[in-house]
Amino acid sequence: MADTSARTLRLLSLLQTHRYWPGTELSERLGVSARTLRRDIDRLRELGYPVEARPGVDGGYQLAAGAALPPLVLDDDEAVAITVCLQAGSQGAGDGLAEPSIRALAKLVTVLPTRLRRRVDALRAMTVSTGWNAVPLSDVDPAVLTDLAMTCRGEERLTFTYTAADSRASTREVEPHRLVSLGRRWYLVAYDLTRHDWRTFRVDRLTDSHTTGIRFRPRELPAPDAATFVRDGIGSRRTGYTVTAEIEAPALDVHSRVGRWCIITALPDDRSHIEMTVDNFDWPILLLGKVEAEFQILGPPELVARLAEWGARFSAATSRV
């Protein structure tokens, strides 16, 4: 029975990739006959999984969308990745997503294996919320985030290779402090033992990290918290564009929709002023569209030109409908 159950879970995991599987390939992967595969497929259907079958010599199987959400089978990396995203969504997500994110996070953490729960708990404890960050989209392996979080909590020195913005690589030895998600990226705040000062490191530029086995006594961070330290450091060296606009909507309404991505100031007559610093103009255009209110761009002129390009493209698309 145990072998049958394990094989069924393996079959479900393969089907949940949502690709079409030829029957012969599935049989080979599971090491069973076509007849046994059909019985396993029937078993999944009895459990509520809508498995579609294509008959014939070249027939196969694919998991279809069902009327209800059946249990999912996740590997370790997938479970950690979902937990990371749910945590980010529970910290200030708009549009009513915060409460569902918290409920889903509680359910997932409850059923995580002990080895994963320790890593996820470390990530939750060692990550500082900025209050206005979006879900980070930088190319960072969730396993790397949990490893860094474990090192922060364990107060153990860390070495890694770091590639700066000018593509120069260097080896660093640090005392890790906290992880911060800000501006759709992850950052590690740490005391750099080579520079003898506090530094902020983008996690997506960090490779070959290893703990040294040397414990340290935490130093006092020269800022109220890690998020403030990162935000101030980025602001002092940013070379992007400062976008400003006035929106025909109350500040509270604007904040509920996009408050975690920009600075909002209330204006008379239920209007709002927003300001944000960006490296390209596509993101603020999406943000302004999300507000769902009339607006006027104050600067820079390049954003006005970029918005005109978007408008022309969308107008052309709607004229063909």
Side-chain angles (χ1 to χ4, degrees):
M1 180 64 68
D3 290 341
T4 301
S5 299
R7 188 178 66 246
T8 303
L9 288 175
R10 172 61 176 159
L11 171 60
L12 177 59
S13 179
L14 292 172
L15 290 173
Q16 284 181 339
T17 62
H18 290 293
R19 58 163 286 190
Y20 174 79
W21 290 93
T24 54
E25 186 174 350
L26 273 180
S27 297
E28 292 175 0
R29 281 180 173 262
L30 299 172
V32 298
S33 66
R35 184 176 182 179
T36 300
L37 174 61
R38 287 194 294 272
R39 287 202 299 264
D40 290 344
I41 292 292
D42 290 338
R43 187 175 295 110
L44 287 179
R45 288 169 174 161
E46 291 172 359
L47 293 173
Y49 294 92
V51 183
E52 294 181 343
R54 182 186 301 173
V57 178
D58 298 326
Y61 303 93
Q62 186 172 21
L63 191 65
L69 179 66
L72 302 177
V73 177
L74 305 173
D75 61 28
D76 287 2
D77 289 342
E78 291 169 343
V80 172
I82 291 175
T83 304
V84 170
C85 293
L86 287 174
Q87 179 184 349
S90 67
Q91 296 174 345
D95 299 333
L97 293 178
E99 184 178 348
S101 296
I102 293 172
R103 293 201 308 268
L105 182 61
K107 292 177 182 178
L108 182 58
V109 170
T110 299
V111 299
L112 285 176
T114 302
R115 68 180 186 280
L116 292 183
R117 191 178 304 170
R118 286 197 302 267
R119 301 172 71 85
V120 169
D121 286 344
L123 183 62
R124 296 167 67 186
M126 293 295 108
T127 299
V128 179
S129 171
T130 63
W132 55 271
N133 60 299
V135 178
L137 296 182
S138 58
D139 187 15
V140 176
D141 186 342
V144 172
L145 291 175
T146 54
D147 285 344
L148 292 175
M150 294 283 286
T151 307
C152 290
R153 187 168 68 175
E155 298 174 354
E156 188 173 350
R157 289 183 180 178
L158 180 72
T159 63
F160 53 81
T161 300
Y162 190 71
T163 304
D166 59 4
S167 300
R168 289 187 299 177
S170 59
T171 301
R172 305 294 185 95
E173 183 175 357
V174 304
E175 296 175 352
H177 176 67
R178 289 291 188 276
L179 286 168
V180 175
S181 56
L182 175 65
R184 303 169 72 79
R185 295 193 184 279
W186 285 97
Y187 297 89
L188 172 68
V189 175
Y191 186 85
D192 193 324
L193 296 170
T194 304
R195 274 66 174 176
H196 303 290
D197 199 2
W198 288 92
R199 290 288 190 270
T200 296
F201 302 95
R202 266 179 48 176
V203 176
D204 58 316
R205 294 177 177 171
L206 186 155
T207 56
D208 301 324
S209 61
H210 303 281
T211 55
T212 65
I214 302 174
R215 303 290 295 274
F216 63 87
R217 179 177 296 177
R219 305 171 189 261
E220 183 177 354
L221 183 69
D225 53 59
T228 301
F229 182 81
V230 173
R231 189 186 297 114
D232 291 347
I234 293 175
S236 65
R237 63 176 183 268
R238 185 178 290 278
T239 58
Y241 301 91
T242 298
V243 171
T244 56
E246 288 188 5
I247 300 176
E248 299 295 327
L252 287 177
D253 293 346
V254 176
H255 189 276
S256 67
R257 291 182 175 273
V258 298
R260 59 190 182 278
W261 294 308
C262 59
I263 299 173
I264 302 171
T265 304
L267 298 176
D269 301 324
D270 285 336
R271 295 180 299 116
S272 306
H273 179 278
I274 68 168
E275 179 178 329
M276 63 187 303
T277 305
V278 298
D279 295 322
N280 67 77
F281 296 125
D282 292 343
W283 173 242
I285 291 175
L286 291 172
L287 180 142
L288 289 167
K290 183 176 176 61
V291 173
E292 296 185 358
E294 298 294 325
F295 61 86
Q296 178 185 1
I297 296 175
L298 304 180
E302 294 91 341
L303 175 58
V304 178
R306 182 62 174 165
L307 183 59
E309 294 177 7
W310 277 50
R313 190 177 304 118
F314 288 148
S315 294
T318 56
S319 66
R320 292 191 293 266
V321 175

